[in-house]
Amino acid sequence: MKTDIPLLEPTPEPIKPFCRAAVLLLGWLFSYGTYLLAVAAWFYYDWFYAIAALLFGFVAFGILRAKIRNISIPPAQQEYQYTDQAIAKWFIVRRMLCDL
């Protein structure tokens, strides 16, 4: 029976102000992008299109969030649950080369 627990990398913290702003923007986009898309569709078109945009947004932002999560978080840690801000931190620091 294997009792060794693998060491986990902590969620990286961006240092530069530009990187912190990018993390906030991407995290908010993951969290509220679906609703912003639906409100924009409601404002420009009609409530029927807003409902369709809301449903489309849930699917589209879910796929986007999953893809970014899978390419930026180490494979040993992908089974853990992460918030939208944590996924944004992993992506910005590891894939956008913010703090190297």
Side-chain angles (χ1 to χ4, degrees), residues 24-94:
L24 279 174
L25 183 65
L26 189 62
W28 285 346
L29 183 68
F30 284 160
S31 297
Y32 304 113
T34 302
Y35 306 113
L36 293 174
L37 183 69
V39 167
W42 183 31
F43 181 73
Y44 286 115
Y45 299 107
D46 193 11
W47 64 270
F48 181 75
Y49 291 110
I51 293 171
L54 183 72
L55 296 176
F56 173 74
F58 281 131
V59 173
F61 281 103
I63 291 171
L64 181 67
R65 185 183 301 118
K67 292 288 185 184
I68 287 180
R69 181 177 181 263
N70 287 336
I71 65 170
S72 59
I73 297 176
Q77 293 180 229
Q78 287 182 2
E79 293 189 19
Y80 295 103
Q81 293 182 358
Y82 290 98
T83 63
D84 294 335
Q85 290 290 342
I87 294 171
K89 285 180 186 178
W90 278 104
F91 180 71
I92 296 294
V93 171
R94 293 191 73 175

